[in-house]
Amino acid sequence: MRLTLRTNLAMRTLMFCAVNDDRTVRKAEVARACNASENHLAHVIVILSQLGVIQTTRGRNGGLRLARPAEEIDIGEVIRALESTVPFAECFEGAENHCPIVDHCRLRGVLANAVEAFYKALDGIALSDLTQANPGLISVLGIHAEQALPRVC
C-alpha cells in the first residue's frame, strides 16, 4: 500500500500544526518545513478544513491551526477520508473496471480485507501519538521566533 502525495502532505501538515500548536501557522511556513509547493498545499488545506481537523483564518494575520486538540484527531479517520476515494486496484474502480477476470478473481476479496486491515491498524492512533515526546520531529518542524515568517502589520 502506498499513500498518495496528497495524504502524505496532509499528515505532514497536521504534524506541523500539532508541533506548533501554540500559534497560527502560515501556509508558507508549512510548505517550507514540509518541502512542498504552496499550490499543492493549498488544496490539502482545503480538504483538511472540510474534514474539520484544521481551521483557517483569512487575511493579513491569517493562517491555519488544528481545529481540535491533537489527542482528538484520529489518524485512521483522516487517512481513510483522504484515501478511500482512490481505488486500490482496477477491480475496485466500478464502471472503469475492465479486468476480464473480476467476476472470478479471489484476489479482489483478499485485497479488500488487506486494505481494511491497514485502516484498522491506524484507527485509534491520535495525532498526538505521533508528535508528543518526539524531540526529533519537534526540532525539524518546530518554529522558533527567528524562523517565523514576518506578519504584515
Side-chain angles (χ1 to χ4, degrees):
M1 176 127 210
R2 182 179 172 103
L3 295 179
T4 60
L5 177 60
R6 175 183 65 187
T7 300
N8 193 338
L9 185 53
M11 295 311 304
R12 289 185 210 170
T13 301
L14 289 174
M15 287 189 273
F16 186 88
C17 289
V19 166
N20 297 287
D21 197 35
D22 59 331
R23 62 189 295 275
T24 298
V25 298
R26 300 179 74 190
K27 179 175 61 173
E29 293 170 325
V30 179
R32 183 178 63 215
C34 295
N35 196 26
S37 80
E38 285 190 51
N39 287 336
H40 195 108
L41 182 61
H43 296 290
V44 169
I45 289 170
V46 167
I47 294 167
L48 291 173
S49 178
Q50 290 170 344
L51 291 174
V53 291
I54 63 165
Q55 65 183 45
T56 60
T57 308
R58 297 183 125 182
R60 183 178 349 183
N61 294 316
L64 58 142
R65 64 183 320 130
L66 296 179
R68 54 188 193 257
E71 297 81 18
E72 297 177 16
I73 297 175
D74 187 277
I75 296 305
E77 180 182 312
V78 173
I79 292 179
R80 186 178 278 110
L82 291 164
E83 292 288 318
S84 64
T85 60
V86 180
F88 184 74
E90 180 185 2
C91 57
F92 291 85
E93 291 190 35
E96 298 298 315
N97 178 15
H98 301 293
C99 178
I101 64 171
V102 69
D103 293 333
H104 310 287
C105 182
R106 293 178 181 161
L107 180 60
R108 182 176 186 205
V110 172
L111 291 176
N113 290 339
V115 169
E116 187 54 33
F118 169 76
Y119 290 133
K120 282 185 180 179
L122 297 170
D123 288 338
I125 304 296
L127 177 60
S128 59
D129 295 331
L130 306 178
T131 58
Q132 287 180 349
N134 187 341
L137 184 73
I138 293 168
S139 72
V140 172
L141 295 182
I143 296 177
H144 309 289
E146 68 276 2
Q147 295 174 308
L149 293 178
R151 297 276 179 186
V152 178
C153 296

